């Protein structure tokens, strides 16, 4: 079964908000940095936000100021609060280790679809 489970996606109008959740096994969640990725139709999967176990964060320029990544270490759940959504945010969103090698070892979940209408 899936090692990582994403949820919370849906259809929203431009300017709206969504909150995504990611449930991960402890062995994966315990890596130093976790991240949210997205893959739009016809495009590669790209990292949009990352967070260390201590709470340090980084964001892609395209989402900076609009998205907030957070994590609950006790529950092994990571979140992505998405505000001021734009049509270009439309994609399947995935969670995984920020390190590409670790992410490859962990494998990818099903992702959750986010669709932003104009």
């Amino acid at each position: 079964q899936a090692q990582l489970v994403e949820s919370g996606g849906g259809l929203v109008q431009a300017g709206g908000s969504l909150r995504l959740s990611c449930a991960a096994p402890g062995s994966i969640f315990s890596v130093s940095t976790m991240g949210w990725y997205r893959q739009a139709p016809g495009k590669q999967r790209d990292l949009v936000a990352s967070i260390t176990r201590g709470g340090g964060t980084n964001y892609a320029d395209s989402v900076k100021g609009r998205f907030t990544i957070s994590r609950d270490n006790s529950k092994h759940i990571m979140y992505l609060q998405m505000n001021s959504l734009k049509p270009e945010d439309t994609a399947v969103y995935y969670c995984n280790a920020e390190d590409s090698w670790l992410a490859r070892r962990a494998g990818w979940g099903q992702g959750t679809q986010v669709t932003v209408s104009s």
Side-chain angles (χ1 to χ4, degrees), residues 15-30:
S17 298
L18 285 172
R19 192 191 194 199
L20 308 184
S21 298
C22 166
S27 59
I28 298 174
F29 200 83
S30 294

Side-chain angles (χ1 to χ4, degrees), residues 40-61:
K43 300 180 66 177
Q44 295 184 341
R45 180 186 287 119
D46 293 321
L47 182 71
V48 298
S50 63
I51 184 168
T52 68
R53 185 167 178 82
T57 60
N58 280 294
Y59 299 92
D61 289 341

